[in-house]
Amino acid sequence: PFTPGHHLLRVAVKGRAIPDAKLPPRNLVFLLDVSGSMASSDKLDLLKSAMHRLTDTLRPHDRVAIVVYAGSAAVALDPTSGARKARIHAHIDALRAGGSTNGSGGIELAYQLAAQNFDADKINRIILGTDGDFNVGPQSDAEMVKLIERKRDTGVYLSVLGVGTGNLKDSKMEQIADHGNGNYAYLDGLEEAHRVLVTESEETTVTVAKDVKVQIEFDPRRVRSYRQI
């Protein structure tokens, strides 16, 4: 694409902005991978720092719960008011990595918890943090997508934060976010985590449009050929 004579075209779509003062209350579930593959500073440690940053933005009428999964899934923190930041921070600090990766079990439990506190007037969202290495439960991309599609109809949406390198399953995580009516972001450091979860938090948690499609047609008299990058 960078050959002289070629042209690059970038297409971006921007949704309507929502001021912080008008941001609806948030009903969030942090779904965090604490399996053995997450035991490095660029994975679980980075996710914990990211969750700390997001916790600092919570308001008293926001609620957050934490679900963790390794060989099995468990509730690490019951739904808690954003006014109790010290309690939320303490539970994030206590997270440790180890074991296999039952991602589907964690997703199921997170949706159950989100459904218990569902409010149509709130933002109801699960934020999954993982390297995408699911090795227990449904393993194929198709099976995981079907699971997410069944759950999204409840009105609870799913966003995904990818971390780490090596066994990173980028395509699988993006598929999960797409079919969960959420968005996917890769965190390569704390600066990016702050941008995604704090500076642009409304883009991570607020849905302004669903099932958006963009089609671009080139005039064959002006464009000999093209390909998507």
Side-chain angles (χ1 to χ4, degrees):
F2 301 103
T3 301
H6 289 180
H7 298 272
L8 291 179
L9 172 66
R10 180 187 180 198
V11 179
V13 179
K14 178 175 173 58
R16 62 183 174 86
I18 300 178
D20 290 343
K22 293 186 178 181
L23 193 68
R26 292 175 286 183
N27 172 31
L28 304 177
V29 177
F30 297 163
L31 174 56
L32 305 179
D33 184 349
V34 294
S35 62
S37 67
M38 294 290 291
S40 63
S41 59
D42 64 337
K43 293 186 179 182
L44 184 57
D45 287 348
L46 175 58
L47 269 183
K48 289 166 65 173
S49 297
M51 294 303 101
H52 281 309
R53 294 288 181 95
L54 179 54
T55 297
D56 287 337
T57 71
L58 296 176
R59 302 157 299 176
H61 52 282
D62 295 326
R63 294 179 70 82
V64 64
I66 301 175
V67 172
V68 296
Y69 66 89
S72 59
V75 177
L77 176 67
D78 289 318
T80 301
S81 166
R84 305 186 65 184
K85 289 184 175 59
R87 174 178 169 80
I88 300 170
H89 284 307
H91 280 75
I92 294 172
D93 281 332
L95 299 178
R96 299 291 183 270
S100 54
T101 317
N102 187 0
S104 60
I107 289 172
E108 291 271 12
L109 183 56
Y111 273 109
Q112 290 176 20
L113 205 57
Q116 291 173 14
N117 298 277
F118 181 83
D119 187 331
D121 294 326
K122 293 183 178 181
I123 296 168
N124 301 278
R125 187 172 295 262
I126 296 167
I127 298 178
L128 166 61
T130 179
D131 61 4
D133 188 14
F134 304 117
N135 54 35
V136 177
Q139 296 180 41
S140 74
D141 288 358
E143 289 176 303
M144 191 64 71
V145 164
K146 288 179 181 178
L147 172 63
I148 298 300
E149 287 180 337
R150 291 198 304 268
K151 298 298 184 180
R152 71 182 180 192
D153 293 335
T154 65
V156 179
Y157 296 159
L158 173 68
S159 290
V160 183
L161 304 175
V163 293
T165 56
N167 62 341
L168 181 72
K169 302 297 188 298
D170 217 37
S171 61
K172 180 175 290 189
M173 291 187 287
E174 188 162 1
Q175 269 197 322
I176 289 173
D178 287 346
H179 290 271
N181 282 358
N183 58 321
Y184 169 62
Y186 174 71
L187 307 184
D188 60 358
L190 192 54
E191 182 178 346
E192 180 67 6
H194 186 88
R195 182 188 70 80
V196 171
L197 296 173
V198 179
T199 307
E200 300 175 0
S201 62
E202 73 280 0
E203 296 179 15
T204 308
T205 58
V206 181
T207 300
V208 297
K210 293 187 293 183
D211 198 23
V212 175
K213 294 180 174 63
V214 176
Q215 179 172 319
I216 299 173
E217 295 183 1
F218 295 99
D219 184 343
R221 296 171 298 178
R222 303 296 301 274
V223 179
R224 179 183 303 164
S225 65
Y226 67 90
R227 68 182 176 94
Q228 184 176 347
I229 300 174

